[in-house]
Amino acid sequence: MKELHFAMATEAFFGGKDRLSFLASGEDPFQDGAAMREPIFYGGEPAYSFQYRTLTQVKYEADDDWLVKTRGFTIADALAVTKAISDFHSVAFLSSVGNANTGS
């Protein structure tokens, strides 16, 4: 039964492509449309946070000249800020979980 669930998850998540084939080819399965379907339709969020970062870079890098001219930053700058905020929240969360486990 466990193998059946794994096969169904592989089919749904990788769009019928074998997970090992993705790894061997060097492709990133999280940038594939089939892999995006899972978080978009079944997840609480429409995509994973790292997918947003990757797609944002690709989608808006052509607007860098306009962003610099009108807003004073590049899309890479904006992504660096969002990553720093995300990292800060991750550290704070892990710290609070650690404190809860130790009774501090």
Side-chain angles (χ1 to χ4, degrees), residues 41-52:
F41 293 111
Y42 304 109
E45 294 291 326
Y48 297 111
S49 60
F50 63 87
Q51 289 172 318
Y52 279 127

Side-chain angles (χ1 to χ4, degrees), residues 3-62:
E3 291 300 318
L4 176 62
H5 288 290
F6 180 76
M8 290 171 57
T10 299
E11 172 66 26
F13 192 76
F14 296 107
K17 298 176 185 173
D18 180 73
R19 177 179 60 88
L20 296 177
S21 298
F22 269 117
L23 296 174
S25 71
E27 292 179 71
D28 183 352
F30 293 103
Q31 291 185 350
D32 182 80
M36 293 294 291
R37 181 178 58 231
E38 177 70 20
I40 289 171
F41 293 111
Y42 304 109
E45 294 291 326
Y48 297 111
S49 60
F50 63 87
Q51 289 172 318
Y52 279 127
R53 287 191 298 267
T54 301
L55 294 174
T56 297
Q57 179 72 42
V58 172
K59 184 174 181 178
Y60 295 108
E61 67 188 350

Side-chain angles (χ1 to χ4, degrees), residues 38-100:
E38 177 70 20
I40 289 171
F41 293 111
Y42 304 109
E45 294 291 326
Y48 297 111
S49 60
F50 63 87
Q51 289 172 318
Y52 279 127
R53 287 191 298 267
T54 301
L55 294 174
T56 297
Q57 179 72 42
V58 172
K59 184 174 181 178
Y60 295 108
E61 67 188 350
D63 297 325
D64 272 349
D65 291 339
W66 180 86
L67 283 169
V68 169
K69 192 181 332 177
T70 61
R71 299 293 183 239
F73 65 89
T74 66
I75 199 62
D77 296 334
L79 288 170
V81 169
T82 60
K83 184 177 182 331
I85 292 169
S86 176
D87 291 349
F88 173 81
H89 284 286
S90 294
V91 169
F93 173 76
L94 293 173
S95 175
S96 68
V97 169
N99 290 338

